[in-house]
Amino acid sequence: MQNIRNIAIIAHVDHGKTTLVDKIIHASKIFGEHQQFDDLILDNNDLERERGITIVSKNVSVRYKDVKINIIDTPGHADFGGEVERVLKMADGVLLLVDAFEGAMPQTRFVLSKAIDLGLKPIVVVNKVDKENCRPDEVHEQVFDLMFNLGATEDQLDFVTLYGSSKQGWMSRDWKQKTEDITPLLDAIIEVIPPAPFIEGTPQMQVTSLDYSAFVGRIAIGRVHRGTLKEGANMSLMKADGSVKKVKIKELQVFEGLGKAKVTEVQAGEICAVTGIEGFDIGDTIADAENPEALSRISIDEPTMNMLFTINNSPFFGKEGKFVTSRHLRDRLYKETEKNLALRVQETDREDTFLVYGRGILHLSVLIETMRREGYELQVGQPQVLYKEDENGNRLEPIEHLVVDVPEETAGKVIELVTMRKGELTIMEPKGDLQHLEFNIPSRGLIGLRNNVLTATAGEAIMNHRFQSYEPYKGGIPGRISGSLISMEAGAVTAYTLDKMQDRGEFFIDPGEEVYGGQVVGEHTRPNDLTLNLQKGKKLTNMRASGSDENVKIQPKRQFSLEDAMEYIQKDEYLEVTPKSIRMRKIFLDENERLRMAKKED
């Protein structure tokens, strides 16, 4: 047995995983006394820091009492479930983190079910016991019931529970007794999580993650399953299609602290990075050169949504981005599928248009946001839900489990909004001073729902959802009630016309902003679309009239985040995304062509 513990940290989004990893890193004294560091050490890309979420799983190792603990920080959102599913294969145990007030949430159930299926040993950490209204004992019971319902074994149900606050940096076996630091958690990891076993035999390692370096190219990361990997050894790479390729290990590295350390050999049970191997994909097995044996491939849940990605062909194309051609778009999307396992790309009959399949709006929006920051210009269509057929030819659609916590006085409005979109209320119970609601709702009913719920509850609703199953089609769901306001011509918008048109609806643009013909500039108060001339100026005379020149008072424009805009557009609209702007537009910019297409559909 080696003194290694491989542990993944799983939790619902915002329950404090990355903060806990920070505290473990500090407790193990990786940093010197003189070194400065920020919070959320592992959330190292800008998007993760801005949104306060983990998108990509990370590896880090700490040493405590002569034991090396490899920690894998995982994302909490169900949209990034593909990340969680593959990295759990590297672990022997999991730290399940649960908020002392919120308890087990939908994503907790999702990631916990994967860990239990893999037979991993859990340690439960009830976090944030310093919060008001917290209910640690109830939450402990709730986690036990959840594990029992997910079919946990006797050994898994006999779990150790720690209570504490990652933010304040303490953990204890009894939540009423505050300790000095986080060491009770590290002691529990060494005591409860089984050591990584050394399995003898020919070497085997599955690639579960990848890294990239400008100096050595792509780096394969995974856990050595059996035998010993040696630097300079000739190996076989076993691909998904059954083919076997001869490869050579150039360098081996293991995770030490926040970085990697070069070694000459790695034994079974350790997580390592291998350089010098070309042409591998996630899920491939690096095996013995003479007698190669493949490990079973990682199975990932199917995508539930797709979106059309196409090149930007608006009148403003190429003004803000560096990468604008279909070749750029194709290469970038296929490069993403190498490391983002839950993403699929399908070519269409047009060379500049691709269908991209993902787990949800957030999953796809993170890809779009990353691309625009890299300098890409593109257009995307309305998100579409994926349907299936059963053996009798009936249409099935994805159903999601939706959980909403709202103040009691607005619960009625939320129930009304969700049931309008074919949601069924399954649970309604008080939770502290909030009302806890659970629904089963079609995935397509969720598109655009968050905005409406936040408006109805003055921003106080907390919404979470996860994919549940495919069920029979629930019938039509009403879409956006109001039509679009569309610009008639290109040019700068004048304050004078914007002021005069304010009774027509709400605008998404400011005076002086450049727009083009066919751009969606606002939301109409009525269900139909309306085309406006926004470039007209005031007729000037040489007479001055002090009374009749009233001051122009224009409402501030409505701001959209990328996800809001993706959920807002209709099926005859595109979202134009560039490094500096997000614009909505009609697919057909010319009004006559739009009318002709509308007639064809009728």
Side-chain angles (χ1 to χ4, degrees), residues 215-218 230-235 247-253 262-264 273-278 286:
F215 301 105
V216 295
R218 293 169 76 217
K230 294 185 178 169
E231 187 181 64
N234 291 317
M235 307 293 285
V247 291
K248 185 172 183 176
I249 296 175
K250 195 171 173 186
E251 248 183 41
L252 287 170
Q253 294 173 318
K262 198 175 160 196
V263 289
T264 52
V274 182
T275 58
I277 291 174
E278 291 296 317
I286 297 170

Side-chain angles (χ1 to χ4, degrees), residues 392-439:
N392 303 324
N394 299 321
R395 184 147 68 143
L396 303 177
E397 67 172 330
I399 301 293
E400 306 249 351
H401 181 67
L402 170 71
V403 175
V404 190
D405 290 329
V406 284
E408 207 165 318
E409 59 274 12
T410 51
K413 286 183 192 168
V414 173
I415 294 169
E416 187 186 343
L417 283 168
V418 178
T419 46
M420 270 170 62
R421 289 163 173 259
K422 300 281 189 277
E424 294 168 17
L425 182 65
T426 54
I427 293 176
M428 181 176 181
E429 58 191 19
K431 180 175 174 184
D433 50 359
L434 297 175
Q435 200 70 23
H436 176 77
L437 310 171
E438 294 191 19
F439 303 89

Side-chain angles (χ1 to χ4, degrees), residues 115-133:
I116 282 175
D117 292 347
L118 286 169
L120 302 180
K121 177 78 179 169
I123 292 178
V124 176
V125 178
V126 179
N127 193 19
K128 305 190 185 181
V129 295
D130 51 332
K131 258 178 147 180
E132 285 178 40
N133 298 338

Side-chain angles (χ1 to χ4, degrees), residues 482-485 497-507 522-528 530-534:
S482 39
S484 300
L485 296 175
T497 42
L498 215 51
D499 178 45
K500 291 279 179 271
M501 302 281 185
Q502 284 194 101
D503 57 337
R504 303 293 165 85
E506 189 179 5
F507 283 95
E523 183 179 294
H524 195 193
T525 48
R526 297 191 177 161
N528 60 313
L530 183 65
T531 309
L532 305 173
N533 181 348
L534 297 167

Side-chain angles (χ1 to χ4, degrees), residues 1-6 92 193-198 223 268-270:
M1 287 292 188
Q2 304 168 89
N3 257 347
I4 296 176
R5 306 286 188 277
N6 296 317
D92 294 303
I193 303 297
F198 175 73
R223 173 180 170 164
E270 175 68 289

Side-chain angles (χ1 to χ4, degrees), residues 240-421:
D241 56 10
S243 62
V244 179
K245 193 176 153 193
K246 296 295 176 203
V247 291
K248 185 172 183 176
I249 296 175
K250 195 171 173 186
E251 248 183 41
L252 287 170
Q253 294 173 318
V254 293
F255 291 89
E256 281 294 341
L258 295 173
K260 299 190 190 95
K262 198 175 160 196
V263 289
T264 52
E265 60 174 51
V266 181
Q267 292 191 330
E270 175 68 289
I271 296 170
C272 70
V274 182
T275 58
I277 291 174
E278 291 296 317
F280 64 85
D281 291 308
I282 289 174
D284 291 354
T285 304
I286 297 170
D288 188 55
E290 303 304 319
N291 308 309
E293 288 176 59
L295 288 161
S296 61
R297 293 195 73 84
I298 302 164
S299 63
I300 296 271
D301 289 354
E302 293 293 306
T304 57
M305 193 169 273
N306 72 14
M307 279 178 86
L308 195 74
F309 278 54
T310 181
I311 57 166
N312 185 10
N313 59 3
S314 83
F316 290 173
F317 114 98
K319 285 187 176 181
E320 295 171 357
K322 285 190 295 191
F323 307 113
V324 294
T325 65
S326 57
R327 182 177 60 84
H328 286 138
L329 184 62
R330 170 200 298 273
D331 293 351
R332 180 66 182 82
L333 289 175
Y334 279 110
K335 186 179 159 207
E336 186 68 24
T337 57
E338 288 179 3
K339 62 176 188 292
N340 195 333
L341 284 201
L343 198 83
R344 312 265 161 85
V345 177
Q346 185 185 323
E347 302 203 5
T348 63
D349 49 4
R350 287 172 46 203
E351 283 189 358
D352 58 2
T353 306
F354 305 88
L355 273 177
V356 179
Y357 295 80
R359 280 280 181 89
I361 295 271
L362 186 67
H363 186 202
L364 293 165
S365 79
V366 164
L367 167 63
I368 297 167
E369 182 63 45
T370 310
M371 285 173 70
R372 71 182 282 226
R373 289 179 184 213
E374 290 169 4
Y376 285 83
E377 278 193 20
L378 66 150
Q379 294 184 140
V380 295
Q382 186 188 36
Q384 302 292 332
V385 163
L386 300 180
Y387 298 106
K388 286 184 177 177
E389 281 193 357
D390 63 10
E391 57 274 13
N392 303 324
N394 299 321
R395 184 147 68 143
L396 303 177
E397 67 172 330
I399 301 293
E400 306 249 351
H401 181 67
L402 170 71
V403 175
V404 190
D405 290 329
V406 284
E408 207 165 318
E409 59 274 12
T410 51
K413 286 183 192 168
V414 173
I415 294 169
E416 187 186 343
L417 283 168
V418 178
T419 46
M420 270 170 62
R421 289 163 173 259

Side-chain angles (χ1 to χ4, degrees), residues 57-341:
S57 58
K58 320 276 190 323
N59 293 51
V60 58
S61 84
V62 299
R63 289 194 179 269
Y64 178 71
K65 291 187 177 172
D66 297 331
V67 176
K68 181 178 180 184
I69 304 172
N70 283 319
I71 301 166
I72 307 156
D73 184 20
T74 63
H77 275 279
D79 279 26
F80 307 116
E83 281 284 314
V84 180
E85 285 164 63
R86 62 186 172 82
V87 297
L88 284 180
K89 278 248 182 149
M90 296 197 275
D92 294 303
V94 289
L95 273 189
L96 172 66
L97 209 64
V98 192
D99 186 299
F101 169 65
E102 291 185 353
M105 297 290 277
Q107 266 92 332
T108 316
R109 186 188 180 100
F110 171 81
V111 286
L112 184 59
S113 66
K114 302 282 175 200
I116 282 175
D117 292 347
L118 286 169
L120 302 180
K121 177 78 179 169
I123 292 178
V124 176
V125 178
V126 179
N127 193 19
K128 305 190 185 181
V129 295
D130 51 332
K131 258 178 147 180
E132 285 178 40
N133 298 338
C134 71
R135 40 197 193 108
D137 296 331
E138 272 180 61
V139 167
H140 178 255
E141 290 294 315
Q142 195 185 359
V143 172
F144 182 87
D145 293 344
L146 176 61
M147 284 201 192
F148 183 77
N149 293 338
L150 290 172
T153 61
E154 293 275 322
D155 182 46
Q156 286 172 324
L157 285 173
D158 184 23
F159 56 83
V160 168
T161 307
L162 287 116
Y163 303 89
S165 161
S166 334
K167 202 166 185 182
Q168 293 179 1
W170 65 272
M171 288 285 153
S172 164
R173 298 268 175 133
D174 179 359
W175 67 276
K176 295 186 184 79
Q177 285 185 334
K178 188 174 173 180
T179 56
E180 291 301 308
D181 55 21
I182 210 159
T183 46
L185 173 63
L186 296 171
D187 290 330
I189 291 174
I190 290 173
E191 188 185 310
V192 174
I193 303 297
F198 175 73
I199 303 169
E200 289 189 8
T202 55
Q204 265 185 326
M205 174 186 131
Q206 187 162 43
V207 181
T208 44
S209 170
L210 57 89
D211 202 351
Y212 182 80
S213 148
F215 301 105
V216 295
R218 293 169 76 217
I219 301 168
I221 296 173
R223 173 180 170 164
V224 182
H225 177 70
R226 190 176 70 191
T228 306
L229 290 187
K230 294 185 178 169
E231 187 181 64
N234 291 317
M235 307 293 285
S236 301
L237 179 68
M238 312 196 68
K239 310 278 293 171
D241 56 10
S243 62
V244 179
K245 193 176 153 193
K246 296 295 176 203
V247 291
K248 185 172 183 176
I249 296 175
K250 195 171 173 186
E251 248 183 41
L252 287 170
Q253 294 173 318
V254 293
F255 291 89
E256 281 294 341
L258 295 173
K260 299 190 190 95
K262 198 175 160 196
V263 289
T264 52
E265 60 174 51
V266 181
Q267 292 191 330
E270 175 68 289
I271 296 170
C272 70
V274 182
T275 58
I277 291 174
E278 291 296 317
F280 64 85
D281 291 308
I282 289 174
D284 291 354
T285 304
I286 297 170
D288 188 55
E290 303 304 319
N291 308 309
E293 288 176 59
L295 288 161
S296 61
R297 293 195 73 84
I298 302 164
S299 63
I300 296 271
D301 289 354
E302 293 293 306
T304 57
M305 193 169 273
N306 72 14
M307 279 178 86
L308 195 74
F309 278 54
T310 181
I311 57 166
N312 185 10
N313 59 3
S314 83
F316 290 173
F317 114 98
K319 285 187 176 181
E320 295 171 357
K322 285 190 295 191
F323 307 113
V324 294
T325 65
S326 57
R327 182 177 60 84
H328 286 138
L329 184 62
R330 170 200 298 273
D331 293 351
R332 180 66 182 82
L333 289 175
Y334 279 110
K335 186 179 159 207
E336 186 68 24
T337 57
E338 288 179 3
K339 62 176 188 292
N340 195 333
L341 284 201

